[in-house]
Amino acid sequence: LRKYDVSAGSSAEYPDRVSMMEGRLQLQENEITLLKSSLADALRRLRLHDQLIPLLKQQLIAGGLKGHSESITAFERETNIHMKLRIGLRKFILNHGRNWRCTNESMVQSCHTLFLICHWLTGQSIKMFIRGRPITMYVPSNIQNYDDLRMEPPVEKLELDWVYGYRGRDCRANLYLLASGEAVYFIACVVVLYHINNRTQRHYSKHTDCVRCLTIHPDKVRVASGQTAGVDKDGKPLQPYVHIWDSSTLITLQQIGLGTFERGVGSVAFSFADSGAFLCVIDDSNEHMLSVWDCAKGTKHAEVKSTNEAVFTVEFNPNDSTNIITCGKSHVYFWTLSAGSLTKKQGIFGKYKKPKFIQCFVFSLTGDVLTGDSEGNILTWGKSPGDVKTLGKGAKETFQIMRQTRAHDGSVFTLCMLQGGALLSGGGKDRKIIRWSADLAPERECEVKDFGAVRCIADVDGEEVLVGTTRNAILRGTFSDGFVAIVQGHVDEMWGLATHPSQDVFLTCGHDRQVCVWNTEEHKLDWCTTLEEYGLCADFCPNGAVVSVGLSTGRWLVLDLQTKDVVSDYTDGNEQLSVMRYSPDGSFLAVGSHDNFIYIYNVTESGRRYSRYGKCNGHSSFITHLDWSKDGKYIMSNSGDYEILYWDIAGGCKLLRNRYESKDREWASYTCVLGFHVMGVWLEGSDGTDINALCRSHNERMVAVADDFCKVHLFQYPCPKPKAPNHSYEGHGSHVTNVRFTHCDSHVLSMGGKDTCILQWRVKRGGTGDSGRDRLHSSSSTSTNKGERMFTEGEGERAREQRRKRVASGPVA
């Protein structure tokens, strides 16, 4: 203590020195407490392990060594322990058997030795490494031989059942109606075929990254869809291409342009005059290369640099396949295809104000081109003879504006030509759909409320139309009856996902501040509410009447599922909340925060009243995941620096410093990404953020995993060995943020981050098999303990800077 004498320093250093002294004293007390606990546990386990332990203890207390050799021999033969244990046990008896009443220092050494012997005798520890940091996990007692555990993929498999959402926020011309009565659109890596009358879905899932564009063949059966480039899990770029596929059979007919396009495919269009003989493609390179492909041969017919400006859409003239039009930022180009080459003429705006964007265009029945722009105008374009005075002798014809029609307040996002010659236009700012006569006289209009701007319109029968919006909804209706949403989704990154404990219902929340409750059987949105801040996590109370939602500001709300009202409103800290979890009986609620604390609340009045019970203080980084034990007394938690801690909640939210004691504890749920039972889900070289979430099934047979590489995995449970085999599923176009089983394990729900997509997977049963608990006992009963094992050490050699990582920070950083 003289080292920290206050007289030796200034008075300003006094608080720091006192704090340092208190910290050292606390560390010493903690070490002594842990040592005592370890000794007590060691003695207890030695007594239980073999009937010879009491005899050895009596010999130690008596101070006599008579007969100790025979006892040791019998002990060794009975337990078949490791040679290191034999040496340690002999040394312990010889050094301390005659002098049990020894000094404190000797006693401490004896305790350490005894604990070492007990550690070798009663259990193994497995050590894995994440970013060079060791994480030690203890093998449960019912595993006799870790080496003989069999790791197999689960007998169950997943099948894509339903896709929630539509990509309307940043894509154009992506909603069509097929001859089969199905609306075709896309989100993430999936093209959805939704039968608007039967309310069924089919899915084309052959794309390897996000679908960006779509077009329909003149036969209304074949479909062409283009994707972005993306990268694989090793950071290597994936080549973008266009798929031509049969919408009736979902069979891929051709892959167009593999190895040709850069970054992605922005627009595609079939020719019409020749029954779809050609396909036009514009990629996302700097020059926006325009290429024309022979659909029958799959070969490139022509290619040319388009423009360095953004290009929004491309179409063939329906009456002449040698004429192609593109539009985008400040331009309309009229292309001519001749003898394998493309030439262009730029539309002349003349006396009319040049808009910043030409958003869309259609061909009228008279052959004119109608464009919608960012100024809210519909421009009618036509051919004019060359202006000899301005352009000189021999000037060729030009494309000029023949008429300007004021249409919308704000941009004209889409135009749709109806069979009779009437025109539909969709507005951005005013959110209106206007029907125009063939001579562009306004006839009817309707405002689309609450669903965003009108992004795309598809004609159903001349009266009924489908409308895609910028808030990722698809509406169906008429001007007479109005419009209703048949497809809805989130519009920003999602993190919060919870499934109802007894109903076919789940909840999602995200950065768009929406809380949505969905029905998995009816495949629809039950209700939605908008919060003041965005939600990041949620959990249903076990009685199913209320749900708690954690927000980005440390605030959390409790919502009544029937009335949608906020029944409780609390705040813990000022940082975002990452996990909400009720105890199995609903008497406690644990709230995990980015301020490193877990807040515990008593829950009464069927989940409508909460009172602070305590706070778990011990993590050195933000909380990421937590689970309750089946008896509701303990919590297991993970943090951002890969800690696994255990807490005695019933005993006052105390940290259980001896983690070895928790190795046999049973957990009501398993969502912690770090733990012995789920070690096998981590790939070699993982950096700690590769797995965003996991969830054990209620029957404890499977583990669903959401990773950072757009995939959902299904493992057997438990999977405590590295490189555990699994089933892997694609469909998301962004990091998968969360995953959950429904209450009866009939479905798995996965949620994308930036792709704003929710995928519902059906669990296909593959037979009865053994339960997860039985698989733990399937190993050999011969004990060949080998102490600690290490795997996934060090950083992988993958090019992490190239792979897809989340853009915005989420609950798991």
Side-chain angles (χ1 to χ4, degrees):
L1 296 177
R2 287 193 297 271
K3 181 178 179 181
Y4 301 103
D5 192 345
V6 296
S7 63
S10 64
S11 60
E13 298 176 348
Y14 177 76
D16 293 338
R17 291 177 176 174
V18 171
S19 177
M20 187 182 301
M21 293 167 60
E22 292 176 347
R24 294 187 63 189
L25 290 173
Q26 184 63 46
L27 288 175
Q28 293 175 359
E29 292 178 359
N30 293 343
E31 184 176 357
I32 292 173
T33 301
L34 178 61
L35 190 58
K36 290 179 179 179
S37 175
S38 300
L39 176 59
D41 183 66
L43 292 173
R44 179 176 61 84
R45 293 181 180 278
L46 284 171
R47 285 196 300 270
L48 295 175
H49 186 271
D50 196 280
Q51 295 179 354
L52 293 177
I53 294 297
L55 178 60
L56 291 177
K57 184 178 179 182
Q58 291 175 4
Q59 292 174 348
L60 291 174
I61 296 175
L65 293 178
K66 182 178 179 180
H68 76 278
S69 298
E70 293 81 359
S71 298
I72 293 175
T73 301
F75 188 77
E76 291 174 349
R77 183 173 60 251
E78 181 69 19
T79 59
N80 191 26
I81 58 177
H82 193 273
M83 180 61 72
K84 190 171 183 179
L85 171 60
R86 303 176 190 174
I87 296 173
L89 185 58
R90 287 195 181 99
K91 185 180 293 186
F92 177 80
I93 294 177
L94 292 175
N95 289 345
H96 306 291
R98 292 183 180 276
N99 186 22
W100 181 256
R101 296 179 181 178
C102 50
T103 63
N104 289 340
E105 181 178 358
S106 177
M107 183 63 181
V108 170
Q109 294 176 354
S110 301
C111 292
H112 275 301
T113 305
L114 185 58
F115 179 69
L116 176 64
I117 294 170
C118 176
H119 173 72
W120 280 98
L121 174 67
T122 60
Q124 299 172 264
S125 66
I126 307 299
K127 184 175 291 185
M128 64 178 288
F129 288 81
I130 293 183
R131 303 193 71 176
R133 176 167 183 159
I135 304 173
T136 302
M137 304 172 196
Y138 294 98
V139 181
S141 301
N142 58 358
I143 298 181
Q144 300 300 318
N145 192 341
Y146 177 80
D147 289 335
D148 289 345
L149 284 178
R150 299 193 305 271
M151 290 292 99
E152 299 175 354
V155 294
E156 298 85 356
K157 293 185 178 181
L158 300 183
E159 180 180 72
L160 187 58
D161 177 48
W162 200 264
V163 177
Y164 299 89
Y166 155 75
R167 185 166 180 170
R169 69 190 189 280
D170 60 354
C171 289
R172 296 169 169 80
N174 61 348
L175 175 62
Y176 297 90
L177 188 70
L178 298 173
S180 61
E182 294 170 303
V184 56
Y185 57 92
F186 59 78
I187 185 171
C189 302
V190 183
V191 181
V192 181
L193 297 92
Y194 175 66
H195 200 290
I196 60 175
N197 291 325
N198 299 340
R199 298 179 61 186
T200 58
Q201 278 189 1
R202 296 187 297 137
H203 311 101
Y204 181 78
S205 307
K206 301 300 175 61
H207 284 281
T208 58
D209 214 288
C210 284
V211 184
R212 291 296 308 279
C213 56
L214 186 72
T215 191
I216 304 301
H217 194 273
D219 63 13
K220 294 292 186 73
V221 174
R222 280 176 281 179
V223 178
S225 50
Q227 68 170 68
T228 191
V231 294
D232 65 11
K233 67 178 181 179
D234 296 320
K236 299 178 181 179
L238 296 173
Q239 296 177 334
Y241 50 85
V242 176
H243 274 175
I244 299 178
W245 46 281
D246 189 312
S247 63
S248 59
T249 63
L250 301 181
I251 294 176
T252 303
L253 304 176
Q254 281 181 315
Q255 284 188 356
I256 298 292
L258 187 62
T260 301
F261 309 124
E262 292 185 25
R263 299 179 185 166
V265 179
S267 299
V268 289
F270 279 111
S271 59
F272 279 78
D274 49 18
S275 301
F278 293 101
L279 179 74
C280 187
V281 181
I282 295 182
D283 71 7
D284 287 332
S285 64
N286 291 338
E287 296 83 12
H288 295 97
M289 299 299 294
L290 187 154
S291 56
V292 177
W293 298 78
D294 188 315
C295 293
K297 300 177 181 178
T299 57
K300 188 189 300 181
H301 184 68
E303 185 179 43
V304 68
K305 293 181 180 179
S306 172
T307 175
N308 289 330
E309 302 288 358
V311 179
F312 293 157
T313 187
V314 60
E315 288 289 349
F316 282 89
N317 187 316
N319 301 315
D320 186 356
S321 295
T322 63
N323 291 334
I324 301 171
I325 299 180
T326 62
C327 72
K329 184 177 180 181
S330 301
H331 75 269
V332 179
Y333 290 147
F334 298 83
W335 301 85
T336 300
L337 175 63
S338 177
S341 63
L342 287 159
T343 57
K344 73 177 178 182
K345 291 183 179 180
Q346 184 169 355
I348 306 300
F349 289 90
K351 65 179 181 179
Y352 297 96
K353 178 183 177 182
K354 190 176 185 178
K356 186 174 182 179
F357 296 103
I358 302 295
Q359 305 275 13
C360 56
F361 67 87
V362 292
F363 294 89
S364 70
L365 297 183
T366 60
D368 292 331
V369 176
L370 306 178
T371 63
D373 61 36
S374 53
E375 302 298 320
N377 297 318
I378 297 176
L379 304 178
T380 304
W381 297 78
K383 292 182 181 180
S384 297
D387 187 348
V388 178
K389 294 181 180 179
T390 304
L391 302 177
K393 187 177 180 180
K396 298 181 180 180
E397 64 181 9
T398 59
F399 293 88
Q400 296 184 0
I401 300 173
M402 311 299 293
R403 178 183 177 184
Q404 177 177 281
T405 305
R406 184 66 180 173
H408 290 273
D409 181 13
S411 290
V412 180
F413 274 158
T414 184
L415 295 172
C416 176
M417 185 62 64
L418 302 179
Q419 293 180 356
L423 177 71
L424 297 180
S425 64
K429 184 178 180 180
D430 61 13
R431 302 186 179 187
K432 289 183 179 180
I433 302 172
I434 301 177
R435 180 185 174 106
W436 306 82
S437 65
D439 58 355
L440 291 184
E443 294 181 340
R444 307 188 69 175
E445 70 176 47
C446 177
E447 183 177 352
V448 179
K449 298 180 180 179
D450 304 324
F451 296 104
V454 179
R455 176 63 79 186
C456 187
I457 300 176
D459 181 25
V460 176
D461 57 11
E463 280 295 322
E464 187 177 35
V465 296
L466 301 178
V467 181
T469 75
T470 55
R471 290 191 63 81
N472 294 347
I474 297 178
L475 313 178
R476 180 186 184 185
T478 65
F479 285 94
S480 302
D481 300 329
F483 293 86
V484 295
I486 60 173
V487 175
Q488 290 178 263
H490 282 269
V491 295
D492 206 343
E493 188 167 4
M494 299 178 293
W495 282 93
L497 174 63
T499 52
H500 195 279
S502 59
Q503 299 176 14
D504 297 319
V505 168
F506 68 97
L507 178 144
T508 58
C509 57
H511 289 193
D512 58 5
R513 300 187 293 115
Q514 289 188 119
V515 174
C516 299
V517 176
W518 311 82
N519 188 299
T520 60
E521 284 298 311
E522 298 182 8
H523 307 123
K524 69 181 183 68
L525 179 66
D526 278 350
W527 59 267
C528 178
T529 186
T530 302
L531 306 178
E532 296 177 1
E533 302 101 24
Y534 59 82
L536 293 171
C537 53
D539 193 35
F540 283 92
C541 185
N543 63 17
V546 298
V547 62
S548 295
V549 180
L551 308 182
S552 58
T553 58
R555 182 182 172 202
W556 55 276
L557 309 174
V558 181
L559 303 176
D560 187 295
L561 252 64
Q562 296 298 323
T563 65
K564 312 173 192 176
D565 295 333
V566 176
V567 298
S568 295
D569 187 339
Y570 298 89
T571 300
D572 287 309
N574 56 6
E575 297 192 45
Q576 68 185 51
L577 303 181
S578 50
V579 57
M580 312 285 289
R581 189 78 70 236
Y582 284 92
S583 61
D585 62 358
S587 60
F588 288 103
L589 172 66
V591 181
S593 171
H594 265 227
D595 64 7
N596 304 356
F597 298 127
I598 301 174
Y599 301 91
I600 308 298
Y601 281 82
N602 274 317
V603 182
T604 55
E605 298 182 12
S606 300
R608 287 170 169 78
R609 185 175 181 83
Y610 296 78
S611 59
R612 175 73 74 83
Y613 173 79
K615 182 170 68 173
C616 298
N617 180 9
H619 273 293
S620 54
S621 184
F622 56 90
I623 312 302
T624 59
H625 307 84
L626 65 86
D627 292 291
W628 286 89
S629 61
K630 289 186 175 180
D631 58 12
K633 297 180 179 179
Y634 302 93
I635 280 179
M636 168 175 58
S637 58
N638 293 167
S639 61
D641 57 353
Y642 324 127
E643 279 185 325
I644 308 173
L645 297 184
Y646 300 91
W647 310 88
D648 182 358
I649 303 303
C653 303
K654 296 179 181 178
L655 175 64
L656 298 177
R657 298 188 179 276
N658 185 4
R659 295 190 294 115
Y660 180 80
E661 294 179 347
S662 299
K663 67 186 180 70
D664 293 328
R665 192 159 285 127
E666 295 186 341
W667 302 100
S669 62
Y670 212 118
T671 60
C672 286
V673 298
L674 294 173
F676 172 80
H677 294 81
V678 295
M679 280 194 299
V681 307
W682 290 89
L683 295 175
E684 186 175 358
S686 295
D687 74 347
T689 65
D690 290 347
I691 294 177
N692 297 317
L694 62 78
C695 181
R696 184 190 68 190
S697 61
H698 298 87
N699 61 18
E700 302 187 15
R701 293 179 52 86
M702 304 166 282
V703 172
V705 176
D707 74 12
D708 233 17
F709 310 105
C710 315
K711 290 183 175 61
V712 175
H713 304 269
L714 193 66
F715 291 82
Q716 76 169 26
Y717 179 85
C719 51
K721 300 191 75 173
K723 299 180 181 179
N726 67 95
H727 304 306
S728 180
Y729 302 94
E730 299 178 344
H732 284 288
S734 174
H735 53 286
V736 187
T737 57
N738 217 329
V739 63
R740 286 290 183 272
F741 281 90
T742 55
H743 70 99
C744 58
D745 295 333
S746 62
H747 293 85
V748 171
L749 296 157
S750 61
M751 198 163 60
K754 289 296 184 181
D755 65 17
T756 68
C757 179
I758 305 168
L759 300 183
Q760 179 173 309
W761 308 85
R762 182 185 296 107
V763 178
K764 298 172 63 178
R765 310 295 177 180
T768 55
D770 297 327
S771 67
R773 194 183 307 276
D774 293 337
R775 280 195 289 266
L776 279 178
H777 289 288
S778 65
S779 60
S780 170
S781 61
T782 305
S783 176
T784 56
N785 295 339
K786 297 182 180 179
E788 292 185 342
R789 305 181 182 276
M790 303 182 183
F791 64 89
T792 67
E793 183 171 8
E795 286 291 314
E797 298 180 356
R798 298 176 298 178
R800 299 189 185 279
E801 68 279 0
Q802 298 180 5
R803 72 183 176 127
R804 183 189 310 278
K805 295 297 289 181
R806 33 186 181 274
V807 178
S809 62
V812 183

